[in-house]
Amino acid sequence: MAQISRMRELVKILNDANKAYYQQNREIMTDREYDHLYDELLELEKKTGTTLAASPTAHVGYNVLKTLKKVTHPSPLLSLDKTKEVDKLVAFLGEYNGVLSYKLDGLTILITYENGKMTRAVTRGNGTVGEDITHNALHFKNLPGTIPHKGRLVVRGEATISYTDFEEINENLPKEEKYKNPRNLCSGTVRQLDSSVLSKRSVAYFAFTLMESEHVFELKSQGLEFLLEQGFELVPYTISNAANIQTNVEGFKRGINVLNIPTDGLVLTYDNIRHSESLGATSKFPKDSLAFKWEDSLAKTRLVNIEWNTSRTGLINPLAVFEEVEIEGTVIKKAGLHNLSIVEELELGIGDEITVYKANMIIPQVAENLTRSGSAPPPTQCNICGESTRVFEQNGVKTLHCTNPNCKARQIKALTHYVSRNAMNIEGLSEATLTKFVEKGFITNFSDIYKLEEHSEKIKVMDGLGEKSLSNILASIEKSKTCTLPQFIYGLGIFNVGLAGAKLLCKHCNNNIEDIKKATTQELIEIDGFGDIIAESIVQYFTSQENQAIVHKALSYLQIESPKTKEETLKGLTFVITGSLENFKNRKELQEIIEDKSGKVTGSVTKNTSYLINNNKDDSSAKSKTAVKLGIPVITETEFVELMDKKEREGVFV
């Protein structure tokens, strides 16, 4: 097991190094170090007979499919009967031992191996028919691509995305494109047609059942140990009996805080395989397993309103607003309803008595409508522009949309995105301020921002503004006129194109807007990290005559910078940043400054670290202790700036 753990560690280290080198244009280790670790990984793979699917030694290319094939399961994959009472778990076990494990909240997938190699991965789907996602499973970060066992093996497990990765991915998406929770993100990612999308989203796979193999085991736990030997990571589990199950359940509940993986309860199954098989199943549930759902802390409240918020894409999202209640130490008064189907299923009406809870003890949700008046039908008109709304239905889910492409809400959301920090970075133009300017008719599209000075006299006398505010806004607008092409492209708000995608697009098209306009879907698919959806979004955007006119006019005010030639002021120096900062906004800003000057920033202190930046030189953190132990200099922000100034005086530039 130690060898498999070391392999996982090596795969992560090497993949991080590859990502830094090929995607972020920086190095976190020397070629010699990389080769040494690569050789160590190769040797371990030979010894164990296991190769992780994400291993850099596998050299698996990315695949793009037109559709996902439907696959009928040999036997139905039934869902589990549920309980929220520990006493029922005790009664269920009786005199038998059981395997108690977390019920991960991801996507259930069956994976088949033949002759030691993974040959197929299929989602559970509806339990009878699933989808073939083999092209994506090849890029699960911890899944074995090859195993020592050379016979047939079928394993059932859960694909998940951790809360940490979920937050990082969501942070880089526009507000209206953010995912509601890790499960939605994981489901959407695993079912992507382009496997390069998944490779960037850190999907992990945790096995929980050995479904088929030539080995005969008496106990399910023996099968799990066998899977562990093959290189699989397992869903955390423990052997339980009627006497200790209460204690074990409480232990699992405490463990949620450190698990970092979405879970919606526990699963209890009989350990003895013969006993399990003798029980059979009902038409809905197997009789040998039972799901335990966490007892939600419910609170009764009254629905005050349903807000329907129009996004810049026209999608109108419902939000439940209720009298505030305290649940598990926090006060909540709003909960997302996600779509029109949920509003209809709950038969919501203003004034209804509802119960609310925090899903997975984190996300506010409406649990039940106790009065079900159904008196809150969806609006037939957009509450922003007054134009008609339209209901779309796809895969049985209804969503509400504004039909007006010139809706002020869509305008305001699009303008807010355009002026945001990672786009044109125009300070002072908050959503509230932009709303005032749109309502006054000062701004209708991006280019009008650059003519705002024409309305100076009227702006000065507006509530909440004034001469000083106007001066600051105009100065920020003037500063924004010099920008990079990726900033501008990102600011346009092209559906599915984030800042990273904008940078890749501009690099591929030689930083030439005309080449971007003329690019075909087929050409754009060739960009590493792009698939059909992103490519089609870009082509569709620039096919629109209206969009072309807006882009042309906005560009007439801008000076697009050529890609910067990097300074080499800090070349060869590696920094680690820790502790609170005083002179910089955040660590990201300081990291960008270091990297712009060809320095490196890593997350941990090693012998290759040049400096640890820490304003508190006397702290007892692990990084500080390691720096002292290795003799790495610890410097403050001020000392870092002095170091940078000294290097610049030495005149070291490309």
Side-chain angles (χ1 to χ4, degrees), residues 163 180-182 338 357-365:
Y163 284 115
K180 300 292 184 186
N181 53 56
H338 306 316
Y357 69 106
K358 292 202 293 187
N360 294 333
M361 296 183 279
I362 296 173
I363 305 167
Q365 300 281 302

Side-chain angles (χ1 to χ4, degrees), residues 201-212:
R201 290 189 176 175
S202 297
V203 176
Y205 183 83
F206 296 90
F208 57 74
T209 305
L210 174 61
M211 299 289 289
E212 183 183 337

Side-chain angles (χ1 to χ4, degrees), residues 93 111 128 143 145 169 246 304 310 322 355 450 460 488 569 572 633:
L93 282 176
I111 301 184
T128 303
L143 181 70
I169 292 166
Q246 173 79 54
V304 175
T310 306
F322 42 83
T355 57
Y450 303 104
K460 287 177 187 176
F488 178 70
T569 310

Side-chain angles (χ1 to χ4, degrees), residues 14 29-41:
L14 293 171
M29 66 175 63
T30 65
D31 290 345
R32 184 174 179 181
E33 288 175 304
Y34 183 93
D35 291 342
H36 175 73
L37 295 176
Y38 185 94
D39 290 342
E40 182 185 350
L41 176 60

Side-chain angles (χ1 to χ4, degrees), residues 224-290:
L224 292 175
E225 289 299 316
F226 174 70
L227 289 176
L228 197 62
E229 292 168 3
Q230 303 305 307
F232 291 92
E233 278 198 77
L234 305 180
V235 174
Y237 75 94
T238 187
I239 305 301
S240 299
N241 54 44
N244 67 16
I245 186 110
Q246 173 79 54
T247 302
N248 288 343
V249 167
E250 291 171 358
F252 273 112
K253 190 169 186 178
R254 288 194 301 271
I256 289 176
N257 297 324
V258 296
L259 186 62
N260 197 29
I261 301 170
T263 171
D264 56 357
L266 303 173
V267 174
L268 180 62
T269 183
Y270 293 115
D271 195 16
N272 188 287
I273 294 174
R274 182 176 295 179
H275 178 62
S276 284
E277 291 175 346
S278 71
L279 297 174
T282 68
S283 59
K284 293 183 178 180
F285 311 119
K287 293 182 179 179
D288 71 330
S289 301
L290 187 63

Side-chain angles (χ1 to χ4, degrees), residues 522-631:
Q522 193 56 45
E523 179 187 348
L524 295 178
I525 287 174
E526 300 301 319
I527 300 175
D528 184 27
F530 277 28
D532 285 345
I533 295 174
I534 296 176
E536 286 170 5
S537 291
I538 295 167
V539 171
Q540 186 176 10
Y541 183 89
F542 287 106
T543 300
S544 163
Q545 294 297 318
E546 183 182 357
N547 289 340
Q548 285 201 33
I550 290 172
V551 168
H552 177 75
K553 197 165 184 181
L555 282 171
S556 68
Y557 294 96
L558 303 178
Q559 180 179 343
I560 303 296
E561 294 180 323
S562 298
K564 285 184 179 180
T565 301
K566 266 193 174 182
E567 294 181 17
E568 292 193 340
T569 310
L570 302 177
K571 186 176 181 180
L573 299 180
T574 300
F575 297 85
V576 174
I577 307 167
T578 193
S580 59
L581 299 176
E582 298 170 0
N583 302 319
F584 297 93
K585 290 181 182 178
N586 49 43
R587 292 185 189 180
K588 185 176 180 181
E589 182 186 38
L590 178 52
Q591 179 176 342
E592 287 174 354
I593 289 172
I594 293 170
E595 291 175 349
D596 283 345
K597 297 178 182 297
S598 300
K600 301 176 187 177
V601 177
T602 61
S604 57
V605 177
T606 70
K607 63 180 181 180
N608 297 313
T609 303
S610 306
Y611 296 95
L612 171 65
I613 300 175
N614 187 357
N615 286 326
N616 181 9
K617 291 188 178 183
D618 298 323
D619 89 12
S620 57
S621 67
K623 289 177 182 177
S624 295
K625 287 180 179 178
T626 304
V628 171
K629 183 179 178 181
L630 296 175

Side-chain angles (χ1 to χ4, degrees), residues 44 47 70 93 117 167 177 193 196 209 234 312 395 449 554 566 568 583:
L44 285 172
K47 284 181 180 178
K70 302 293 183 183
L93 282 176
K117 291 186 178 180
E167 289 166 4
E177 295 173 24
L193 297 176
S196 67
T209 305
L234 305 180
R312 65 180 171 86
N395 298 326
I449 291 171
K566 266 193 174 182
E568 292 193 340
N583 302 319

